Amino acid sequence: MKEVITATKGKYFSVVFTKKDGSARKMTARIGVRKGVNGKGMNYNPDDKGLVVVWDLQKQDYRMVNVSTIISFKCGKKVINNSTNQVELV
């Protein structure tokens, strides 16, 4: 799934995933946003933990998405539903 998110190349996408507390969350996001970046970086590598850093459109802030808990993903005409393991073009 990380490759699918990376392939969006900054386009908006929606993703439904299971949060750490067990609840589901739907997010409209994008990658590649540099707003507020100060150059210090993070204390850890998100890739090591299976996370992808995204910009949450509703919260207007950075969030992490655990790629192993993604339920569904949609970007443009590409829809991936992990609960049924189907890739659809709509």
Side-chain angles (χ1 to χ4, degrees), residues 9 11 23 30-31 34 36 42 59 68 74 76 83 89:
K9 298 181 182 174
K11 293 180 186 173
S23 63
R30 64 186 282 204
I31 60 170
R34 301 289 177 232
M42 292 188 269
K59 302 279 186 181
S68 65
K74 181 179 180 190
S83 60
L89 294 176

Side-chain angles (χ1 to χ4, degrees), residues 16-42:
V16 178
F17 62 97
T18 305
K19 295 184 348 179
K20 204 175 200 179
D21 67 3
S23 63
R25 171 134 195 268
K26 181 177 182 182
M27 179 189 304
T28 302
R30 64 186 282 204
I31 60 170
V33 175
R34 301 289 177 232
K35 181 178 181 178
V37 175
N38 60 14
K40 284 176 54 177
M42 292 188 269

Side-chain angles (χ1 to χ4, degrees), residues 3 5 17 19 26 30 39 52 70 75 78 88 90:
E3 296 81 21
I5 293 173
F17 62 97
K19 295 184 348 179
K26 181 177 182 182
R30 64 186 282 204
V52 176
I70 292 177
C75 183
K78 186 172 192 172
E88 306 168 26
V90 289

Side-chain angles (χ1 to χ4, degrees), residues 32-79:
V33 175
R34 301 289 177 232
K35 181 178 181 178
V37 175
N38 60 14
K40 284 176 54 177
M42 292 188 269
N43 294 335
Y44 63 94
N45 184 352
D47 289 335
D48 294 343
K49 298 182 181 217
L51 303 172
V52 176
V53 180
V54 299
W55 178 260
D56 185 337
L57 190 61
Q58 289 88 10
K59 302 279 186 181
Q60 291 291 300
D61 202 2
Y62 293 99
R63 295 290 186 258
M64 300 281 186
V65 175
N66 186 336
V67 294
S68 65
T69 65
I70 292 177
I71 299 166
S72 66
F73 171 89
K74 181 179 180 190
C75 183
K77 295 182 179 187
K78 186 172 192 172
V79 177

